[in-house]
Amino acid sequence: MNFIALESKQKLRGGFYTEQTIASFLVKWVRTSRPKSILEPSCGDGAFLQAIEEQHFEFLKQVCICELDAEEAEKAKRRTRLPIRFLAGDFLRWYLQCIQNEEGFDAVVGNPPFIRYQYLPEEQQLLAEKIFSLLNLRFTKHTNAWVPFIIASVKLLKPGGRIAMVIPSEIFHIPHAQSLRHYLADQCSRILLIDPKELWFTDTLQGTVLLMAEKKPKRSAKGKGVSVVSNATRRTLDRDPEALFQEAKYTNGETIKGKWMQIFLTSRERRLLADCRDRQEVKLFSDVASVDVGIVTGANKFFLVPDSTIEEFQLQQWAHPMFGRSGHVRGLVYSRKDHRSNKKSGLPANFLWFREAGLKKVPVNIKKYLSLGLSEKLHLRFKCRTRNGWY
Ligand SMILES: C[S@@+](CC[C@H](N)C(=O)[O-])C[C@H]1O[C@@H](n2cnc3c(N)ncnc32)[C@H](O)[C@@H]1O
């Protein structure tokens, strides 16, 4: 469980900025279409503006920007000599007020705020919901700020226009982005996602991908679908983005109707999957097992321990069978025999759960063990300190 009161100001406004190499790569791709007007809907301190300026868009007439944080917006304006027009603080509000009269943009670039719906102020929650309803898209309260941002940005693109943005990698599968996946596939002729092998935004621990999509030239035109460059590395950013976009093999139809996970499969693998689906003898995983989330201990070494620790501190009463990590499970089935073997090898095969010990009268042996945790300052760790009783 996360609490809004414990989140940083930076996180609550989604203020994690794009590094220059990534902004330059996306801007380079947009440049190929020679846009006269560009929108940066949440410009932060102006990483994308700098990239545009550095790449000399001689055909550019105007760059329109929004940014909720006035101080950051000022920094962005000071950072560039581009022909800037500051539209508004809140992009979602501006969009809803101006969409009727807006003639649209040739390109949209940026990195929208990633903020859970529950953390948004009520006014912004309502704005987000309205954006879905105006376009007849299904809305859920599980959404995140980046979703209405992308929907509004695509809507604001002129026919044939390009959108190039950093977005969360959950675009591929998260249920609340289904409306967006549907909308992108419906509105765009080609959608390319650059999916990095490693985290590119290490501060946030948020997996991100680069979205490069071109709006259909005509509403009635048929889209080619979605493609992904998987396992991208920093060296991918040295490649020509336009060549990547043109050479990609796009997939359409059933494969991209729901989640976009099947794009990662080869066509042979997809055929095999379809074949399996048609066979009665092939069961769904959920027919034979149930799935549940794992535990978050906040300090695995302390709460997941080998038998020797249990014996040393006499903690048998609070030890529950567990495997330390997936690497300790060899194969699909984890049996009692495997567990015994893990215990014998000295692997952490016990999960310590002191719930039964109560929080008031703590037995001496537990106290002794917990004092070890205190000396390691485990009680100050985020996941531990947000519990009622850190252990
Ligand atoms: C992930 S940062 C990206 C900033 C910049 N585009 C970049 O790529 O470095 C998202 C930015 O969105 C801004 N923001 C949050 N909510 C907004 C809103 N409703 N309208 C406009 N900007 C917003 C935040 O203040 C933050 O600067």
Side-chain angles (χ1 to χ4, degrees), residues 313-327:
F313 293 88
Q314 290 298 300
L315 299 171
Q316 289 79 357
Q317 195 184 337
W318 295 281
H320 301 263
M322 179 77 76
F323 49 83
R325 52 187 146 93
S326 51

Side-chain angles (χ1 to χ4, degrees), residues 62-286:
Q62 197 165 61
V63 184
C64 292
I65 60 170
C66 294
E67 171 52 55
L68 199 58
D69 188 307
E71 234 174 81
E72 297 304 295
E74 277 315 307
K75 281 188 208 163
K77 286 184 220 164
R78 281 201 300 273
R79 189 166 171 176
T80 172
R81 279 166 302 157
L82 288 170
I84 294 285
R85 186 177 147 222
F86 183 72
L87 296 177
D90 189 331
F91 168 63
L92 299 182
R93 178 203 279 266
W94 173 82
Y95 169 82
L96 287 167
Q97 282 169 355
C98 300
I99 186 64
Q100 307 295 352
N101 315 319
E102 187 51 53
E103 67 158 17
F105 301 91
D106 297 317
V108 184
V109 295
N111 173 353
F114 307 171
I115 312 168
R116 303 152 151 239
Y117 178 81
Q118 276 72 19
Y119 287 178
L120 292 173
E122 198 184 334
E123 192 212 344
Q124 280 185 11
Q125 291 184 343
L126 292 172
L127 295 173
E129 189 168 353
K130 215 162 169 197
I131 286 172
F132 281 80
S133 89
L134 267 183
L135 294 167
N136 289 324
L137 295 171
R138 212 173 76 79
F139 171 77
T140 111
K141 288 190 174 171
H142 294 291
T143 197
N144 189 301
W146 68 272
V147 178
F149 255 74
I150 303 291
I151 292 175
S153 298
V154 172
K155 176 73 185 156
L156 282 165
L157 271 185
K158 287 185 188 167
R162 287 184 165 189
I163 175 165
M165 284 193 149
V166 180
I167 59 169
S169 42
E170 61 193 23
I171 174 81
F172 288 115
H173 60 83
I174 197 106
H176 76 67
Q178 181 52 38
S179 291
L180 171 65
R181 286 191 288 270
H182 168 77
Y183 188 64
L184 278 170
D186 179 57
Q187 295 285 315
C188 298
S189 46
R190 284 176 287 183
I191 301 156
L192 179 64
L193 293 154
I194 311 275
D195 184 26
K197 197 170 171 182
E198 279 155 5
L199 284 181
W200 278 351
F201 284 72
T202 43
D203 283 359
T204 60
L205 295 181
Q206 169 80 56
T208 49
V209 292
L210 309 186
L211 166 74
M212 295 153 68
E214 199 167 61
K215 199 162 178 177
K216 288 177 181 172
K218 267 197 254 144
R219 221 15 227 102
S220 56
K222 198 167 163 1
K224 284 191 175 167
V226 187
S227 181
V228 59
V229 175
S230 49
N231 286 326
T233 63
R234 296 271 165 190
R235 292 181 65 186
T236 312
L237 301 177
D238 295 334
R239 295 193 50 194
D240 174 10
E242 179 65 8
L244 279 174
F245 190 74
Q246 296 298 343
E247 289 159 16
K249 299 237 174 323
Y250 295 88
T251 306
N252 215 338
E254 281 300 309
T255 316
I256 60 158
K257 235 177 176 175
K259 294 179 182 180
W260 284 353
M261 296 308 286
Q262 284 193 41
I263 307 167
F264 291 93
L265 303 179
T266 62
S267 48
R268 193 162 159 256
E269 287 164 338
R270 268 182 237 141
R271 275 200 303 278
L272 177 68
L273 195 64
D275 183 43
C276 287
R277 229 181 255 135
D278 292 341
R279 285 170 184 265
Q280 286 220 323
E281 66 271 30
V282 178
K283 302 260 176 281
L284 287 178
F285 189 78
S286 55

Side-chain angles (χ1 to χ4, degrees), residues 305-308 328 339-350:
V305 294
D307 282 358
S308 54
H328 299 165
H339 189 62
R340 279 196 299 274
S341 148
N342 277 356
K343 277 160 93 70
K344 226 167 146 190
S345 324
L347 289 177
N350 305 280

Side-chain angles (χ1 to χ4, degrees), residues 13-14 16-18 40 42-44 48 67-68 89-91 111 113:
R13 74 174 174 94
F16 297 95
Y17 294 159
T18 311
E40 213 301 19
S42 54
C43 69
F48 280 86
E67 171 52 55
L68 199 58
D90 189 331
F91 168 63
N111 173 353

